[in-house]
Each structure stands twice: as C-alpha cells, then as structure tokens.
C-alpha cells in the first residue's frame, strides 16, 4: 500500500503538482515538491484506490479524480472534482452505470467537456461532470483503462482489445 498511482502536474504553473496513491490519498504541492498538503476528499476511506488524476487545463485549483473502491466490494462509480485546490470536493457521477471508473480526462480546448473510462464503456459530460451520457458509437462493450485527447481525436485504451480512436471529435 501507499503506491503513487498518478501524478498530475499543472499545465499552467510548473510548481503545482497533484499526486494520488492506491490507499486513498491525494496530495498537492504549490512549491515544486518541497512541501505537500493532504487534500484528500473526506469521503475517501482506506482501501479507496485513487486510480487517476487529471489536472485542469484552465486553472490550477481544479483536478478530477477517478476512484476505484473494488477492494471494499463497492462497485459504484466514483469521480471527484475540486475547484478550490482540494478544500472542498464534489462527487460527480450522475448518469454513470454501476462499475468502477478507471480514468477521467478533461478536454484541453473546451472547458467543462470531460470523458470517463469505465469498466463498460466511455462516457462524456458536457457540463463539468454534473451529468454523464454514454459515448458508445461502434465501440464494443469492454473495459476502458485510459484515454487521451490528441489534437481533435479521442484515443481510448481498452483491456484486451487494444485501442479505439474517435477521429475528429469536434
């Protein structure tokens, strides 16, 4: 336990870095790693794996956290968002089906456009995670492990089936 699972450096300030662990902790530094502050959401308990963080492209106080609680027999989706540097957090999962979330990513161009990688499919939110809907298209039902936005394409990494690309998502 205590493995750093994800590091999310700010895209705006080289000194701001978010880090998360497999034992449910999220930390933030604003001085390039000299000092770290525990900003873990109060709802997270031990054995809550923070599987991935995504620092916002638009402000240093926003980060999105994908949480996996399968070790606690919790198969519900969990994504948390903060807009104030971790002082407060909101769980944003309305519209997501039962099952763990492996990753959440923010579009680098359109603020509020998010994508979630779940055990069943990719989901999209057009309102900063307040509501989610499936982005299935012709993709098979499979575990989505991660996704990347590359220029105008959404590149999706799956478990056991390689990858899938949504060309020109604009």
């Amino acid at each position: 336990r205590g493995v750093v699972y994800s590091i999310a450096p700010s895209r705006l300030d080289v000194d701001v870095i978010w880090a998360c662990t497999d034992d449910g902790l999220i930390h933030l530094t604003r001085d390039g790693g000299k000092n770290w502050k525990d900003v873990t959401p109060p709802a997270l308990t031990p054995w809550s794996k923070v599987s991935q963080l995504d620092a916002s492209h638009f402000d240093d106080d926003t980060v999105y956290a994908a949480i996996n609680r399968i070790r606690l027999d919790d198969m519900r989706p969990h994504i948390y968002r903060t807009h104030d540097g971790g002082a407060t957090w909101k769980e944003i999962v309305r519209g997501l089906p039962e099952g763990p979330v492996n990753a959440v990513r923010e579009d680098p161009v359109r603020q509020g456009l998010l994508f979630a990688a779940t055990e069943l499919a990719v989901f999209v939110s057009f309102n900063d995670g307040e509501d989610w809907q499936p982005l299935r298209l012709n993709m098979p039902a499979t575990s989505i492990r991660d996704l990347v936005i590359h220029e105008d394409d959404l590149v999706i990494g799956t478990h056991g089936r390689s990858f899938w690309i949504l060309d020109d998502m604009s």
Side-chain angles (χ1 to χ4, degrees):
R1 291 181 20 129
V3 173
V4 175
Y5 251 59
S6 181
I7 297 174
S10 167
R11 292 160 168 99
L12 305 172
D13 182 343
V14 69
D15 289 327
V16 177
I17 305 166
W18 300 83
C20 66
T21 64
D22 72 336
D23 57 355
L25 300 177
I26 299 175
H27 285 81
L28 171 66
T29 181
R30 294 188 179 277
D31 58 11
K34 293 176 187 152
N35 297 288
W36 290 87
K37 180 179 181 184
D38 184 346
V39 295
T40 304
L44 292 188
T45 61
W47 298 99
S48 297
K49 179 174 76 173
V50 184
S51 57
Q52 187 267 328
L53 292 175
D54 194 39
S56 177
H57 294 264
F58 304 100
D59 89 73
D60 285 333
D61 287 330
T62 297
V63 74
Y64 303 91
I67 312 299
N68 181 316
R69 291 175 47 92
I70 197 168
R71 294 182 292 191
L72 295 166
D73 292 329
D74 180 353
M75 297 304 289
R76 294 172 296 162
H78 298 283
I79 299 173
Y80 286 88
R81 175 192 70 208
T82 182
H83 286 307
D84 57 12
T88 62
W89 293 86
K90 181 176 183 182
E91 189 169 31
I92 51 172
V93 295
R94 187 172 47 223
L96 292 175
E98 286 289 310
V101 176
N102 296 315
V104 61
R105 299 286 181 195
E106 179 187 54
D107 184 85
V109 176
R110 182 175 169 189
Q111 190 169 7
L113 177 58
L114 302 177
F115 299 93
T118 75
E119 284 296 313
L120 302 173
V122 175
F123 286 78
V124 62
S125 173
F126 296 98
N127 58 2
D128 202 33
E130 293 298 322
D131 300 284
W132 294 92
Q133 60 191 20
L135 181 67
R136 189 68 183 277
L137 303 173
N138 65 349
M139 187 179 359
T142 188
S143 173
I144 309 301
R145 296 306 171 101
D146 203 355
L147 41 87
V148 175
I149 299 156
H150 178 71
E151 297 176 3
D152 289 335
D153 300 337
L154 180 64
V155 181
I156 298 163
T158 69
H159 177 73
R161 294 194 183 203
S162 191
F163 63 93
W164 185 87
I165 299 173
L166 173 59
D167 292 317
D168 191 13
M169 67 178 173
S170 62

